[in-house]
């Protein structure tokens, strides 16, 4: 299966998600947050750095739950602002 290349907007949205998760994680270690969410630290690192800009919904939901974020808030803050 060949994956369709991401648009610049999709990449930008993934970068915003990474920033939001990193800010919400704050002083907590990447390893502890990832473990609590049932993910590997490498998966979390890829999401936070934008190298995995389109993580699965269940992955985002698990991270949001661990970090005390609502999915609605994440969606709102990751939406593209069209001028």
């Amino acid at each position: 299966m060949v994956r369709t290349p991401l648009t610049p907007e999709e990449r930008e949205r993934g970068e915003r998600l990474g920033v939001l998760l990193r800010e919400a994680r704050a002083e907590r270690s990447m390893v502890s947050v990832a473990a609590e969410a049932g993910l590997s630290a490498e998966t979390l690192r890829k999401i936070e750095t934008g190298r995995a800009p389109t993580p699965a919904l269940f992955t985002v939901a698990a991270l949001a739950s661990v970090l005390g974020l609502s999915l609605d808030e994440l969606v709102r803050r990751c939406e593209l602002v069209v001028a």
Side-chain angles (χ1 to χ4, degrees):
M1 182 169 110
V2 176
R3 197 167 182 189
T4 305
L6 298 175
T7 66
E9 292 81 14
E10 290 169 325
R11 289 198 175 280
E12 185 180 329
R13 185 175 53 230
E15 289 172 7
R16 277 197 300 277
L17 174 62
V19 168
L20 290 171
L21 294 175
R22 196 168 39 254
E23 288 173 355
R25 184 169 58 81
E27 299 299 317
R28 294 173 66 184
S29 78
M30 188 178 288
V31 172
S32 68
V33 170
E36 195 173 337
L39 309 170
S40 70
E42 182 59 22
T43 295
L44 180 54
R45 180 177 292 107
K46 286 178 180 178
I47 295 168
E48 285 189 357
T49 60
R51 288 183 21 228
T54 58
L57 177 60
F58 70 87
T59 300
V60 176
L63 287 168
S65 177
V66 167
L67 296 171
L69 300 168
S70 78
L71 289 176
D72 289 336
E73 178 69 8
L74 280 178
V75 168
R76 187 186 66 72
R77 293 185 61 194
C78 288
E79 286 179 330
L80 292 173
V81 177
V82 180

